[in-house]
Amino acid sequence: MRPRGSPPGVAALCTGAVLLGLTGCTGGAEERQKDAKEPGESRVGWQKGEVRPKKLGNPCALVSDGTLALLDLAGPARETSMCSWSAGSFESVLRTLRVSVTVTEPENDLHKATATEEAESAFDNYPRASFEDEDPRELPGLGDGAIAAGRGSAERHLVVRHRNVIVYAMADTTYERVDYDGGRVPSDATLDAALLAAAEDVFAAVAAPLDERPAPDPAPGEVARLRPACDGLRARGARLLPGAKPTEISPEGGDMRNCYWTTADDYAIAELAVEVQAMPPSALTQRTGIAAANGKLAYVTEAREAEPVTGLGDEAVVDPEVNYLHVRRDNLLVTVRDIREGVPDDQGLADMKSLARTVLAQYE
């Protein structure tokens, strides 16, 4: 509920300010008092180009339908501590986008600072430790300052400051193979695109548009379009896991493809799974697809202490604790998982390598 006497949007602004560690997020009569000058006192006022809180209106309405459609979402937002949209379920494919907008004001009480200086200080002191495990990185050229995080996770973060406005956005997706119901599973690249689009929507709406940020051109050898993951794997999967039928995830229009086989009885579950991603060039990070794929594999290698595998793609690693094989060739990432009971480790690795080679051969 919006506090009585506050202009529309101030409640959302203040919650965003708490997220960013700001104080002094005000509105209504208190804002008007700050604009008034005390006799004989020099006060900092609004500077040219700065955005005033009243211009924001309802921040949840600033995110466009086109941005939401990137994650198959639709409005209106659920307004809690920030604007939130979600669709799907934890049992199948869940997609979420959250956005918070903060507009800082001139400071005249504790010190003298313009609204832009207050935003710059807040951004510089942003609690980056909360992203420490997600590879936070600066994004030069995006607004007056930007940080992105989430290299190896399905949860992606973006913080952008432009003038005296700070936008925080988070996008994530989870899916459960066993209960998959046909929903599209967004890739890392789609999550990043949704974050950038949400920030662009907000800044454009408050007349502080961001500069255009086109994605770099694809590097030679990059794969642009994925084939259905189960093509070419059916016979091999049937041999490795008799009695199991392959299930295709994201068969239409998806950014990633996943084929899995599973059997279950009262005593055990056996599973084979193959996931394929073709990392595209990113407007958000300004990385080529090859660089993005290389970064994700490096994250997996470091986070899981995975062991290198030779003679497969450009580079490959295996995580023996959870029986995952990760392979990169150019911008293509292939992940194979084998949790069959009673299969020796060396045989399991050989079978995973065989599945990965079959996928790679489809793109030669």
Side-chain angles (χ1 to χ4, degrees), residues 236-363:
R236 195 172 300 275
R239 179 178 62 81
L240 296 176
L241 198 59
K245 294 183 178 180
T247 298
E248 180 89 36
I249 292 183
S250 290
E252 299 293 338
D255 318 72
M256 71 169 70
R257 299 298 178 95
N258 191 311
C259 186
Y260 80 94
W261 301 256
T262 185
T263 61
D265 56 31
D266 293 337
Y267 303 100
I269 296 176
E271 180 179 290
L272 285 171
V274 178
E275 180 181 276
V276 187
Q277 284 194 63
M279 306 293 284
S282 170
L284 178 65
T285 65
Q286 292 295 292
R287 289 177 171 177
T288 65
I290 291 175
N294 185 58
K296 185 161 187 176
L297 185 63
Y299 177 88
V300 170
T301 303
E302 179 183 347
R304 296 295 307 175
E305 298 183 354
E307 302 169 1
V309 175
T310 59
L312 190 59
D314 293 328
E315 53 184 329
V317 297
V318 63
D319 182 351
E321 288 190 13
V322 290
N323 292 342
Y324 271 104
L325 173 69
H326 306 272
V327 183
R328 180 189 70 81
R329 190 180 70 194
D330 294 327
N331 68 320
L332 200 65
L333 285 174
V334 180
T335 301
V336 184
R337 188 184 189 196
D338 179 1
I339 54 172
R340 296 171 296 162
E341 294 289 338
V343 177
D345 290 346
D346 56 348
Q347 183 60 53
L349 177 58
D351 291 340
M352 289 192 291
K353 291 169 69 175
S354 176
L355 287 168
R357 287 195 179 97
T358 301
V359 173
L360 293 176
Q362 298 177 11
Y363 297 93

Side-chain angles (χ1 to χ4, degrees), residues 20 123 126 131 139 142 145-148 157-161 166-169:
L20 291 165
F123 179 82
Y126 188 81
F131 298 154
L139 300 177
L142 182 56
I147 307 167
H157 304 266
L158 175 66
V159 186
V160 183
R161 180 188 73 82
I166 300 174
V167 174
Y168 166 78

Side-chain angles (χ1 to χ4, degrees), residues 65-127:
D65 291 342
T67 294
L68 297 177
L70 291 171
L71 300 178
D72 296 329
L73 301 173
R78 182 169 58 90
E79 300 180 36
T80 53
S81 61
M82 62 181 69
C83 308
S84 177
W85 299 262
S86 63
S89 66
F90 284 108
E91 289 75 27
S92 182
V93 181
L94 178 65
R95 304 169 303 280
T96 303
L97 176 67
R98 296 186 177 92
V99 177
S100 176
V101 186
T102 300
V103 177
T104 55
E105 303 177 18
E107 172 59 45
N108 284 285
D109 296 331
L110 300 177
H111 56 270
K112 303 291 184 182
T114 66
T116 297
E117 290 170 340
E118 284 292 282
E120 183 177 2
S121 176
F123 179 82
D124 289 344
N125 291 292
Y126 188 81

